[in-house]
Amino acid sequence: MKKRIGIILIVLGIAAALAAAALYSVYEARDKEAGENARILLEEFEAQLKTDNVPYESESGTLPQRRIYGREVVGVIRVPSVGIELPVLENWSYDALKIAPCRYSGSVKGNDLIILGHNYKSHFTPLKNVSIGDEIEFCDVNGVTYTYVVEKTEKLYKTELDRLTDIGTFDLTLFTCTAGGESRFVVRCKRAE
């Protein structure tokens, strides 16, 4: 009887290890695809910057956009200290997050821009390595670059997402899920003088 239980446990362990390996390979494939999609959008964004300008942000706080491959792109987020340079899409959805980070809410003019990115290695996973004082840049669709300085990092549980927008003292917020998805890693920034 003990031998049979041991064999069952070994088989279950092997099955669990194979399932984990399969899930990891799916994640890696999605990460690679997301990185490639973001790279393609970024290249086209940079090419379009050399063309005519688009109207600037309105008083209502909407961000100017460029339509690239059927997606509304509002700019590029750069975090040089951790090697992030990614396009930012106008409206977030789970499908859009598979391509690039997205505007969650707010605007540059409103000093309340919040950008959400997937925790892919090719997207926002490197954010966990930023330090207080690091510079972050947001380049809009007309090539105007706004520089921010990291003032705070924090973790919020997924039940605390209302805290993303209720703190009005930060001009730029970036966030992503942590491994496992139980909490969000948040980077809070002020605009550089």
Side-chain angles (χ1 to χ4, degrees):
M1 182 68 163
K2 284 185 179 183
K3 187 175 181 180
R4 188 178 293 164
I5 291 174
I7 291 171
I8 290 171
L9 290 175
I10 289 171
V11 169
L12 288 175
I14 291 170
L18 290 173
L23 285 174
Y24 182 75
S25 66
V26 167
Y27 170 83
E28 286 292 312
R30 286 182 181 164
D31 185 1
K32 184 177 179 180
E33 181 180 3
E36 181 63 16
N37 288 335
R39 184 191 63 74
I40 290 168
L41 275 178
L42 184 60
E43 286 176 358
E44 182 60 24
F45 177 86
E46 289 171 350
Q48 285 191 20
L49 279 181
K50 297 172 185 166
T51 65
D52 59 328
N53 285 349
V54 297
Y56 275 93
E57 187 174 330
S58 70
E59 291 301 319
S60 68
T62 58
L63 295 170
Q65 307 162 12
R66 288 188 186 271
R67 189 158 184 82
I68 302 173
Y69 301 124
R71 301 280 181 180
E72 299 300 329
V73 178
V74 295
V76 171
I77 192 74
R78 295 184 185 108
V79 189
S81 64
V82 295
I84 291 174
E85 182 175 21
L86 295 163
V88 178
L89 301 177
E90 165 57 19
N91 294 307
W92 86 271
S93 69
Y94 292 109
D95 284 338
L97 285 174
K98 293 176 184 176
I99 295 167
C102 303
R103 185 184 73 87
Y104 183 76
S105 68
S107 68
V108 172
K109 193 173 202 171
N111 293 318
D112 60 352
L113 181 58
I114 300 175
I115 298 172
L116 161 65
H118 213 319
N119 67 345
Y120 293 138
K121 290 183 282 185
S122 61
H123 283 188
F124 271 12
T125 291
L127 279 181
K128 65 184 177 188
N129 297 316
V130 300
S131 299
I132 305 303
D134 284 356
E135 287 191 349
I136 294 177
E137 299 174 345
F138 178 79
C139 176
D140 73 13
V141 296
N142 290 315
V144 178
T145 299
Y146 303 89
T147 303
Y148 300 86
V149 177
V150 175
E151 288 206 339
K152 178 181 181 180
T153 62
E154 63 183 323
K155 281 190 182 176
L156 298 177
Y157 290 101
K158 62 183 177 182
T159 57
E160 299 178 293
L161 289 183
D162 59 321
R163 289 189 48 215
L164 284 170
T165 56
D166 74 351
I167 300 174
T169 58
F170 298 102
D171 301 322
L172 174 68
T173 298
L174 308 178
F175 76 101
T176 188
C177 297
T178 58
E182 289 303 311
S183 59
R184 307 297 178 256
F185 184 76
V186 182
V187 176
R188 306 279 195 177
C189 307
K190 287 294 269 184
R191 192 176 301 181
E193 295 300 324

